Amino acid sequence: MSLDFNQQPLVVIWEVTQACDLACLHCRASAQPQRHPGELSTEEAHRLMDEIKELGAPIFVLTGGDPLKRPDIFDLVEYGAQRGLRPSLTPSATPLLTREAIFELKKRGLVRLAVSLDGPTAAVHDSIRGVSGSYQKTLDAVEWAGECHLPVQINTTISRHNYAHVEEIERLLTRLKIVLWSVFFLVPTGRGQLDDLISAEECEQVFEKLHRASQRVKFHIKTTEAQHYRRFLLGKRIAERWQQGMKPETVQDILAEELGRARQGVNDAKGFVFVSHKGEVFPSGFLPETAGNVRQQSLTEIYRNSPLFVALRDTSNLKGKCGVCEFHELCGGSRARAFAVTGDAFAEEPCCIYHPQAWPAMEGAAVS
């Protein structure tokens, strides 16, 4: 699928509420048990989904908080499905996530259920999610979704608390009926702490484990806020070409050929847009810089023309290593993580070990 990310996002995420009964250590929303009185109303939600349909985003996700905390969630799913949006939902693993709720969501037109699993055991997962029993509720939800033939996606957030368990989580997932493992790399925002962030070296170790897993498992694996995983995978392909004896004159020739064939990389504001429970529009749920509000402007206008989104899509604004990296169009680094760590959304990716070919010379150059 080829999209012009200046005009049209690949993914629209709508945070229907910040209310949630879990207390996850890494929650970007710092979710609370009660709903906010300023949430978009059902009528406003319908208008938003009408706009999303006009914008033409292929992937539409209702998230939270816990979407099941909204009493109109089943109607919202049905409306989105009737508009042709193919809605996905990311509920929390609480007593609200019942077999009956999952079957009703499927009946109303839900096309995918995404639930979180952050550890291979109840001890690891529940300690991260802050509520005992969340692990078993997640496994129950996967089973119930399978009963009604609703595709399941597993979301895992990688942090200091669980990065050593990646292979164990993979082994658990191979026993479940899922279509996608979506691996989120922590951005220290909300309740996520800087000390919870894994190092650049540890990121590479996790990348290697995910790459090996992708060669074994039947489900797909994708990453979120790990744009440099694309650089890692491309590096693997380049190494394979060298090993096969296909050696162009320079590494740049290989890069030009491979990057030319690679799909443009989704990034914050670049193929991705996040709408908050109050209608605020952000480059992602992890980058708390607002570009407008759908109560005052159309989502299309904000996505295409807001100065923040336009600037984030312009890779010439990238600084440090990211600014000179040969992978900057495909990768570009996590703008959300750069902002969380440095306060500058255009700073270099703080969790990337790669040194671009142009970087050593520039690093040692005199500063005028």
Side-chain angles (χ1 to χ4, degrees), residues 210-356:
L210 293 178
H211 174 61
R212 291 177 182 173
S214 70
Q215 298 173 319
R216 293 190 293 259
V217 301
K218 295 180 180 180
F219 48 83
H220 295 290
I221 298 176
K222 69 174 287 293
T223 59
T224 296
E225 296 299 348
Q227 289 82 352
H228 46 319
Y229 184 51
R230 302 170 198 146
R231 179 267 305 159
F232 177 90
L233 292 179
L234 185 50
K236 286 287 187 181
R237 290 202 294 273
I238 292 171
E240 289 169 3
R241 288 173 59 100
W242 279 99
Q243 291 170 2
Q244 293 167 358
M246 294 181 287
K247 299 181 179 180
E249 292 182 0
T250 64
V251 173
Q252 285 82 358
D253 290 338
I254 302 178
L255 281 171
E257 180 181 348
E258 293 287 349
L259 288 172
R261 292 195 306 223
R263 194 180 73 175
Q264 57 185 328
V266 175
N267 208 321
D268 304 330
K270 183 181 178 184
F272 193 101
V273 60
F274 180 95
V275 182
S276 82
H277 61 297
K278 296 186 290 185
E280 302 153 306
V281 179
F282 296 94
S284 86
F286 303 98
L287 208 174
E289 290 281 282
T290 182
N293 193 300
V294 296
R295 283 171 163 151
Q296 284 85 46
Q297 293 174 275
S298 74
L299 181 62
T300 298
E301 173 66 21
I302 296 170
Y303 178 81
R304 291 178 179 172
N305 300 318
S306 71
L308 175 62
F309 273 58
V310 171
L312 285 169
R313 288 194 291 266
D314 185 352
T315 54
S316 69
N317 289 320
L318 297 177
K319 301 174 183 177
K321 292 193 301 181
C322 289
V324 298
C325 183
E326 53 269 34
F327 298 101
H328 71 279
E329 290 293 346
L330 179 68
C331 171
S334 169
R335 299 300 94 220
R337 189 177 298 107
F339 181 83
V341 173
T342 71
D344 183 353
F346 300 100
E348 67 183 48
E349 162 65 66
C351 291
C352 181
I353 198 173
Y354 182 71
H355 286 271

Side-chain angles (χ1 to χ4, degrees), residues 73-283:
I73 190 61
F74 300 105
D75 294 332
L76 294 178
V77 168
E78 184 173 26
Y79 186 87
Q82 289 174 344
R83 295 292 286 121
L85 290 176
R86 296 181 53 78
S88 299
L89 187 85
T90 63
S92 299
T94 74
L96 293 175
L97 187 58
T98 63
R99 181 178 184 275
E100 292 73 23
I102 290 173
F103 272 67
E104 184 65 18
L105 288 165
K106 173 65 185 301
K107 178 182 175 182
R108 297 295 189 102
L110 193 71
V111 301
R112 179 174 294 186
L113 187 77
V115 290
S116 295
L117 193 64
D118 291 320
T121 64
V124 176
H125 176 88
D126 289 356
S127 67
I128 293 172
R129 292 285 156 178
V131 173
S132 179
S134 174
Y135 175 82
Q136 187 57 52
K137 180 62 72 172
T138 296
L139 297 183
D140 291 341
V142 174
E143 181 179 349
W144 295 331
E147 289 180 24
C148 65
H149 306 288
L150 179 60
V152 174
Q153 168 182 325
I154 292 293
N155 295 338
T156 299
T157 298
I158 299 297
S159 70
R160 179 70 51 199
H161 303 283
N162 65 352
Y163 81 99
H165 299 288
V166 169
E167 291 166 315
E168 297 168 76
I169 296 172
E170 177 210 335
R171 286 194 289 271
L172 171 60
L173 296 185
T174 59
R175 302 198 298 269
L176 305 179
K177 186 178 179 181
I178 67 171
V179 297
L180 177 68
W181 185 19
S182 184
V183 185
F184 291 67
F185 282 68
L186 178 76
V187 173
T189 188
R191 281 198 286 265
Q193 300 297 307
L194 189 60
D195 288 344
D196 296 334
L197 203 61
I198 63 175
S199 69
E201 292 79 7
E202 290 162 341
C203 272
E204 294 292 308
Q205 294 168 16
V206 175
F207 289 169
E208 182 64 42
K209 292 175 182 179
L210 293 178
H211 174 61
R212 291 177 182 173
S214 70
Q215 298 173 319
R216 293 190 293 259
V217 301
K218 295 180 180 180
F219 48 83
H220 295 290
I221 298 176
K222 69 174 287 293
T223 59
T224 296
E225 296 299 348
Q227 289 82 352
H228 46 319
Y229 184 51
R230 302 170 198 146
R231 179 267 305 159
F232 177 90
L233 292 179
L234 185 50
K236 286 287 187 181
R237 290 202 294 273
I238 292 171
E240 289 169 3
R241 288 173 59 100
W242 279 99
Q243 291 170 2
Q244 293 167 358
M246 294 181 287
K247 299 181 179 180
E249 292 182 0
T250 64
V251 173
Q252 285 82 358
D253 290 338
I254 302 178
L255 281 171
E257 180 181 348
E258 293 287 349
L259 288 172
R261 292 195 306 223
R263 194 180 73 175
Q264 57 185 328
V266 175
N267 208 321
D268 304 330
K270 183 181 178 184
F272 193 101
V273 60
F274 180 95
V275 182
S276 82
H277 61 297
K278 296 186 290 185
E280 302 153 306
V281 179
F282 296 94

